[in-house]
Amino acid sequence: MRFGLIIPHRHSYVLPSTFSPSCFCVNFFPQNHNNNLNLPFPVGKGKISCCSKSEVLKSDLMEPKAEALVVNKSRTLYSPIDPYSTGNLKVSDVHTLYFEQSGKPDGHPVVFLHGGPGGGTSPNNRRFFDPEFYRIILFDQRGAGKSTPHACLEENTTWDLVNDIEKLREHLKIPEWQVFGGSWGSTLALAYSQSHPDKVTGLVLRGIFLLRKKEIDWFYEGGAAAIYPDAWEEFRDLIPENERGSLVDAYHKRLDSDDMETRYAAARAWTKWEMATAYLLPNNDNIQKAEDDKFSLAFARIENHYFVNKGFFPSDSYLLDNVDKIRHIKTTIVQGRYDVCCPMMSAWDLHKAWPEAELKIVDDAGHSANEPGIAAELVAANEKMKALMG
């Protein structure tokens, strides 16, 4: 259900240049600091801020621009970069992970946790981070992207992935690192941080997903259908009426079928439903990703596997119940108010349990990290982390 932080290759967007007049803004950085980082940041009560009504034309949202992304010389996605190293790490008898490093080899390490599960990484995920400050580590989780075997469910659980992150950290000889994750990546970031709080220097989370039953039911059992009835009917109608008591279970049966065409048909329908709902304004390029059978099979099959198994968590509220373990970690949560995939109730519940974490609500955005307001806040959160780390 959770789509990762992916900016289309060679694309950039004009990001919002203003906030609602109701938001009072201050600068995070002193006047003698790098002017490109001296961002006006809204300040609300406590640590909640709302940023709204980006002055961006629809054409700017839907049609990527070729020129550099600039908003008042700030909140800018960094220029595309290539990795300075890539590799494969064998983490079990079954699985081998693809990983890469870019940016500054001796910089502050940050690990990017992609969405899905099963979504994989993209070259443009590197662009949320200053390459002159950060050592940027991306990897594809088990069964996703360039990791092998593709779309494999064997030995593929949340706790396997948590262990993989540690194995990668140790392999790269990194004492501790910043963790950045959106959607399912936020779920995994919370699970990892709660398991290894001494290894995390800071958290940037987006589109919070706590993998609770009510979140799964909202998106896959009819709640979100009230907003997207047209897209929902196509998703629902793949399943016969007598099996619609649980669409997640019905899709699981098909995604695990011995017949590959049955698997592919279910994967395309599952993926298209999520891609159609990921933006505040539906994005046709995003929806077309469902037609890529290799991507869809990993995305749908691994997601569904995790959801059928309730995230492999011992209780529905596990991540909220264990917030005390990470309460001390500097954290920013970025949430689109109109996120249909991961509705804001989850970010709100997390913030209430963890008021020390700063919550940035983007009032004119949905789920995708590609949306201008969300992308701007993610870059700004990393810039703030830089200042906190000196």
Side-chain angles (χ1 to χ4, degrees):
M1 167 173 186
R2 322 300 72 159
F3 186 56
L5 302 174
I6 300 174
I7 303 291
H9 185 50
R10 294 175 184 163
H11 289 178
S12 56
Y13 294 84
V14 175
L15 300 185
S17 59
T18 62
F19 295 104
S20 165
S22 63
C23 285
F24 172 65
C25 298
V26 298
N27 290 328
F28 270 136
F29 302 89
Q31 292 300 319
N32 61 355
H33 198 85
N34 183 343
N35 287 334
N36 288 341
L37 307 182
N38 201 7
L39 316 178
F41 229 68
V43 176
K45 293 181 179 179
K47 292 188 177 181
I48 303 174
S49 300
C50 299
C51 305
S52 62
K53 300 191 182 301
S54 308
E55 293 183 351
V56 183
L57 297 177
K58 180 179 179 181
S59 61
D60 289 328
L61 286 168
M62 304 304 290
E63 298 177 10
K65 295 186 177 296
E67 65 269 18
L69 184 76
V70 176
V71 181
N72 296 335
K73 299 182 180 179
S74 64
R75 296 175 179 260
T76 304
L77 287 172
Y78 285 92
S79 298
I81 55 171
D82 293 323
Y84 63 77
S85 74
T86 64
N88 294 285
L89 177 64
K90 191 167 182 61
V91 290
S92 78
D93 291 340
V94 175
H95 290 277
T96 299
L97 305 185
Y98 166 82
F99 69 90
E100 64 173 52
Q101 299 185 83
S102 57
K104 187 178 181 183
D106 62 348
H108 187 81
V110 58
V111 62
F112 179 98
L113 304 183
H114 68 68
T121 57
S122 160
N124 281 289
N125 298 151
R126 307 164 194 149
R127 298 181 62 196
F128 291 102
F129 312 98
D130 180 354
E132 295 184 2
F133 180 86
Y134 282 108
R135 176 183 176 186
I136 307 159
I137 297 102
L138 273 59
F139 76 98
D140 291 330
Q141 296 159 28
R142 296 189 180 201
K146 297 178 183 178
S147 292
T148 57
H150 180 71
C152 177
L153 305 183
E154 184 181 353
E155 295 181 11
N156 198 337
T157 74
T158 302
W159 306 113
D160 289 319
L161 301 188
V162 166
N163 290 336
D164 289 350
I165 297 169
E166 267 300 274
K167 288 176 183 177
L168 180 60
R169 184 188 64 78
E170 292 171 354
H171 175 73
L172 297 175
K173 296 180 172 56
I174 293 172
E176 57 185 10
W177 50 10
Q178 182 180 322
V179 179
F180 181 106
S183 198
W184 158 256
S186 75
T187 320
L188 185 56
L190 289 168
Y192 171 76
S193 300
Q194 290 173 3
S195 298
H196 301 281
D198 58 323
K199 307 304 182 186
V200 180
T201 60
L203 284 164
V204 175
L205 308 174
R206 187 268 310 170
I208 299 301
F209 180 43
L210 302 174
L211 225 160
R212 297 173 294 178
K213 184 179 185 299
K214 68 179 181 180
E215 296 169 60
I216 301 297
D217 288 349
W218 158 260
F219 194 65
Y220 291 107
E221 304 295 349
I227 300 172
Y228 285 94
D230 45 352
W232 170 257
E233 287 189 6
E234 189 173 350
F235 172 74
R236 180 200 64 192
D237 290 351
L238 183 81
I239 306 301
E241 286 190 32
N242 65 344
E243 292 186 60
R244 292 179 188 170
S246 171
L247 290 173
V248 172
D249 288 342
Y251 267 92
H252 181 73
K253 176 182 175 182
R254 288 156 179 80
L255 290 166
D256 206 33
S257 170
D258 292 334
D259 179 66
M260 288 306 298
E261 187 45 48
T262 298
R263 284 193 189 187
Y264 283 128
R268 287 190 292 267
W270 178 284
T271 304
K272 187 175 182 179
W273 164 240
E274 184 162 338
M275 299 300 109
T277 56
Y279 282 73
L280 181 64
L281 301 176
N283 184 304
N284 288 330
D285 289 341
N286 202 50
I287 294 170
Q288 286 301 309
K289 291 177 183 177
E291 301 304 314
D292 180 341
D293 282 343
K294 182 177 181 181
F295 172 79
S296 289
L297 187 64
F299 185 74
R301 197 160 187 256
I302 298 173
E303 274 199 345
N304 178 275
H305 165 70
Y306 273 70
F307 301 161
V308 164
N309 288 286
K310 302 177 182 177
F312 304 93
F313 292 124
S315 67
D316 195 55
S317 59
Y318 178 82
L319 294 175
L320 290 176
D321 293 342
N322 284 276
V323 161
D324 279 349
K325 296 178 180 178
I326 57 174
R327 196 173 297 279
H328 64 286
I329 298 174
K330 296 294 184 183
T331 301
T332 298
I333 300 166
V334 177
Q335 178 70 39
R337 183 174 292 280
Y338 298 105
D339 189 334
V340 172
C341 300
C342 298
M344 190 179 138
M345 64 179 176
S346 297
W348 188 248
D349 288 346
L350 180 61
H351 181 68
K352 286 196 298 182
W354 191 10
E356 297 87 353
E358 183 176 26
L359 174 60
K360 306 291 294 186
I361 302 168
V362 184
D363 276 336
D364 56 352
H367 181 66
S368 176
N370 296 353
E371 297 191 60
I374 292 180
E377 292 301 331
L378 291 171
V379 171
N382 284 329
E383 298 303 318
K384 184 180 179 183
M385 286 290 178
K386 283 169 50 178
L388 292 172
M389 291 180 288

